[in-house]
Amino acid sequence: MAALVELFHFHSSPILQRRSHVPAAMAGSGEDRRRRMPHVLTVAGSDSGAGAGVQADIKACGAAGAYCSSVVTAVTAQNTVSVQGVHPLPEDSVRDQLRSVLSDMAVDVVKTGMLPSPGVIKVLCDSLREFPVQALVVDPVMVSTSGDRLTSHSTIAGYRNELLPMADIVTPNLKEASALLGGMSLVTVADMCTAAKEIYKFGPRNVLLKGGDLPDSSDAIDVLFDGENCHELRGLRIKTRNTHGTGCTLASSIAAELAKGSSILQAVQAAKSYVESALHYSKDLAIGHGPQGPFDHLFRLKAHDLNSDRKPSFNANDLFLYAVTDSGMNKRWGRSITEAVKACLDGGATIIQLREKEAETRNFVEAATMCLEICLSYGVPLLINDRVDVALACNADGVHVGQSDMPVSMVRKLIGPGKIIGVSCKTPAHAEKAWADGADYIGCGGVFPTNTKANNLTVGLDGLKAVCLSSKLPVVAIGGIGAGNARSVMETGVPKLKGVAVVSALFDRECVVTETRRLRSILLEVAAATK
Ligand SMILES: Cc1ncc(COP(=O)(O)OP(=O)(O)O)c(N)n1
Ligand SMILES: Cc1ncsc1CCOP(=O)(O)O
Ligand SMILES: [Mg+2]
């Protein structure tokens, strides 16, 4: 699986070695205790349409919680149709701007976009030698997303010989990679890995080759070569015309995450999931009449607005021991749903989900109403799997939905702001979207193989960790978890992981109370040891 990668692998650059890294927001000396913000400086061209270039960089960094200063290298006249003009600024002006910012403002990470001449590249490299920063992110802008060439051939040599050796990460798309490699043809993921390795030889510590334009692929596949491994990073291909500025945005978002203290891989994953969400939210946006529109970098402000009137009644610690019922198992062991629910409550379950795939609606509503009474008397929330109608009918505490069930935003509209919504997530992109849509928690799995849910992809402990590290919502792990392996799940110690959700290890057993108690005591032991 693409995510089977080492999470904390970060080859530091010579620039980085010259300045020790304290996450900017935490830095503060005895003399100056003012709050610092992670700071990215973008060195790029201005886009009059504001979908790409400096304008996109500032918005992307702002969305990631970083400050973004700007050195403008060129002024372009462009819109959603094409680039109508490029007016490079004099090298002296670029030098002056760089000096102004770098000499005063404690920049953490420099991100480059359009560098219109070898002279500007030289000015930048000299400035970086004079004012070292923690990391350099190079987006080798050579061709705009609309296909217009933005820089001369002679500049490519400047990238290869001067800038790339100083870069911590370079983020070419297929055309740019091909241009850097003298026209190499790139049509498969294997070609991309070969190209990334070749570009690595120019000196950058990491190469992220973006495969968005790869033919015949339903996924958006990027490859990250870190000098040792070529990681395939898969994302969703969002169908939209509003993709102008995705390259600038991705690179700026990576820079912002690095400025916040992330490793390269964490930064790339967070940036990819941010871009994916932004594209998704902006897919119907109508700005301009051309074939390629911009997207809304600040969509989270709206997502937040939509959910800001909510007073969630949900306590994330309730996810500690999450019991999920199964009608087939209850039938096999001759129990009613209510008996099963009462038994796991007696054993110490902290939240219950009724997952009754075969129940008829009338029976389901009736059973859910009785279970709700029981759960109320234990002070434990009761959620309904999939069935928003059943949750509404019995006034349950919430609903759990998966990626192919009703969308979270719709569920929220139906069940209102005070109810709990859980959503199944397998990737950081799912987790980002769950948060933006107004979910309360994430169920991540199957962590281990299970017979309880057919055709369910296993994400493993690595997949669980990746989701937890990127998630803003609390997470419960699910899938193949029981007394034998719950410890290994909770000992991952990842932030946001609040507990385990279990079906067969509780309900496909003779005594539900005993099994729930056994699991609970294991979870309590891990919690006590990691306090
Ligand atoms: C806590 C929790 N996490 C994940 C799931 C799976 O939900 P979904 O992907 O919708 O699959 P089904 O359960 O509907 O088969 C869950 N139920 N609970
Ligand atoms: C519902 C669900 N979602 C992901 S795995 C899974 C099944 C979990 O069941 P079990 O705990 O028996 O493995
Ligand atoms: Mg479902």
Side-chain angles (χ1 to χ4, degrees), residues 193-217:
C193 281
T194 308
K197 287 176 187 167
E198 288 302 310
I199 293 170
Y200 181 83
K201 291 181 186 160
F202 297 134
R205 259 55 65 201
N206 297 271
V207 179
L208 177 68
L209 208 168
K210 300 171 292 189
D213 301 330
L214 207 62
D216 305 330
S217 166

Side-chain angles (χ1 to χ4, degrees), residues 357 386 402 405:
K357 295 289 190 187
D386 294 349
D405 297 321

Side-chain angles (χ1 to χ4, degrees), residues 260-277:
K260 283 156 57 179
S262 296
S263 69
I264 286 281
L265 185 57
Q266 285 171 332
V268 169
Q269 283 178 326
K272 274 175 69 70
S273 89
Y274 163 69
V275 171
E276 216 171 277
S277 299

Side-chain angles (χ1 to χ4, degrees), residues 355 446 450 452-453 456 478-480 502-504:
R355 182 174 178 272
T450 177
T452 306
K453 185 169 168 59
N456 188 44
I478 188 167
V502 181
V503 188
S504 53

Side-chain angles (χ1 to χ4, degrees), residues 33-170:
R33 293 201 171 273
R34 292 175 303 163
R35 190 169 60 87
R36 285 206 57 227
M37 251 181 116
H39 187 150
V40 174
L41 163 62
T42 175
V43 183
S46 159
D47 169 3
S48 52
V54 162
Q55 290 83 351
D57 297 345
I58 292 175
K59 288 185 277 185
C61 289
Y67 186 84
C68 185
S69 51
S70 55
V71 164
V72 178
T73 57
V75 175
T76 71
Q78 58 180 305
N79 53 22
T80 61
V81 180
S82 65
V83 180
Q84 291 96 37
V86 179
H87 305 276
L89 263 75
E91 285 162 28
D92 281 349
S93 164
V94 174
R95 186 181 292 107
D96 287 351
Q97 294 177 68
L98 282 164
R99 175 167 286 281
S100 293
V101 177
L102 289 169
S103 66
D104 173 47
M105 297 180 79
V107 170
D108 296 300
V109 177
V110 167
K111 177 257 162 189
T112 70
M114 183 183 174
L115 302 174
S117 66
V120 164
I121 291 180
K122 184 163 183 345
V123 163
L124 173 62
C125 293
D126 288 345
S127 301
L128 288 172
R129 278 186 278 270
E130 188 179 352
F131 301 103
V133 294
Q134 251 176 55
L136 172 64
V137 177
V138 174
D139 181 22
V141 176
M142 294 171 188
V143 185
S144 79
T145 7
S146 55
D148 299 272
R149 182 166 283 282
L150 293 174
T151 194
S152 67
H153 287 291
S154 61
T155 308
I156 297 173
Y159 272 107
R160 276 200 296 248
N161 302 332
E162 287 228 52
L163 195 59
L164 293 193
M166 297 179 85
D168 293 279
I169 182 165
V170 57

